[in-house]
């Protein structure tokens, strides 16, 4: 999909927290509508998430990148040392989300490149998210057979680990 003005990807700063939180909530609503109850998705609060994002951005062990289009955050990615008790790689792609309007524009690829490049890494992805899994496969990630149930508030979601 061509665009008149390109996106820019950069390291997040504290003032990006509200924009990241807004994308976080909207992207979950777009990506997980088939996996999570509508009431749960409607209850997500960008203001509460903004406070959490301020703490994440300030954490020196976590890389937080944002994608902007015309000054508006349209995506984000985070990577860190791995949140599992025994990480399978030294780096975890903790999250990457772009608005549905950005699908197919290269925004996700730019964020992945900024967050982990082509280094060995792992990630957890919703087991029933074929679009995301195809994106990760194009970038060298493969499911390794490990799954876990992740709690999202009162909801549970089956996640699969992908590694490269």
């Amino acid at each position: 999909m061509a665009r008149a003005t390109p996106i820019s990807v950069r390291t997040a700063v504290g003032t990006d927290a509200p924009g990241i939180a807004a994308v976080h909530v909207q992207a979950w609503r777009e990506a997980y509508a088939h996996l999570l109850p509508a009431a749960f998705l409607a209850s997500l609060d960008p203001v509460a998430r903004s406070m959490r994002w301020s703490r994440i951005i300030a954490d020196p062990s976590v890389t937080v990148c944002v994608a902007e289009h015309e000054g508006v955050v349209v995506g984000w990615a985070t990577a860190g040392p791995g949140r599992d008790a025994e990480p399978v790689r030294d780096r975890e792609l903790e999250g990457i989300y772009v608005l549905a309007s950005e699908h197919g524009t290269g925004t996700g690829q730019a964020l992945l490149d900024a967050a982990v490049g082509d280094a060995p890494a792992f990630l957890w992805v919703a087991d029933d998210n074929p679009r995301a899994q195809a994106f990760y496969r194009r970038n060298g990630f493969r499911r390794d057979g490990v799954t876990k149930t992740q709690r999202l508030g009162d909801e549970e979601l089956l996640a699969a680990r992908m590694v490269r």
Side-chain angles (χ1 to χ4, degrees):
M1 183 184 314
R3 67 169 79 238
T5 56
I7 60 139
S8 61
V9 174
R10 61 174 173 77
T11 300
V13 296
T15 55
D16 290 319
I20 294 170
V23 168
H24 196 171
V25 167
Q26 185 61 32
W28 271 31
R29 289 175 178 159
E30 294 168 346
Y32 298 146
H34 70 292
L35 295 173
L36 296 168
F40 171 77
L41 293 171
S43 75
L44 297 175
D45 179 10
V47 175
R49 286 189 186 265
S50 181
M51 291 182 273
R52 181 172 173 242
W53 275 107
S54 293
R55 291 189 301 274
I56 294 169
I57 292 167
D59 183 341
S61 71
V62 178
T63 300
V64 182
C65 302
V66 294
E68 290 182 314
H69 182 243
E70 297 180 348
V72 176
V73 175
V74 295
W76 58 267
T78 57
R83 299 169 289 180
D84 294 351
E86 295 182 29
V88 67
R89 295 281 189 269
D90 292 336
R91 200 83 176 139
E92 177 183 3
L93 179 63
E94 296 175 355
I96 182 170
Y97 289 92
V98 300
L99 298 176
S101 61
E102 293 298 308
H103 290 176
T105 66
T107 301
Q109 187 65 56
L111 284 164
L112 178 73
D113 293 346
V116 296
D118 59 2
F122 74 100
L123 58 91
W124 291 95
V125 60
D127 188 58
D128 185 14
N129 191 341
R131 180 182 186 90
Q133 289 184 42
F135 170 76
Y136 295 131
R137 280 193 306 275
R138 284 193 305 274
N139 282 279
F141 289 90
R142 298 290 176 256
R143 289 178 64 139
D144 69 355
V146 177
T147 60
K148 69 178 179 180
T149 300
Q150 291 187 308
R151 292 209 52 85
L152 303 172
D154 291 335
E155 303 302 323
E156 292 185 346
L157 187 69
L158 184 63
R161 187 169 66 191
M162 297 183 79
V163 180
R164 72 165 181 205

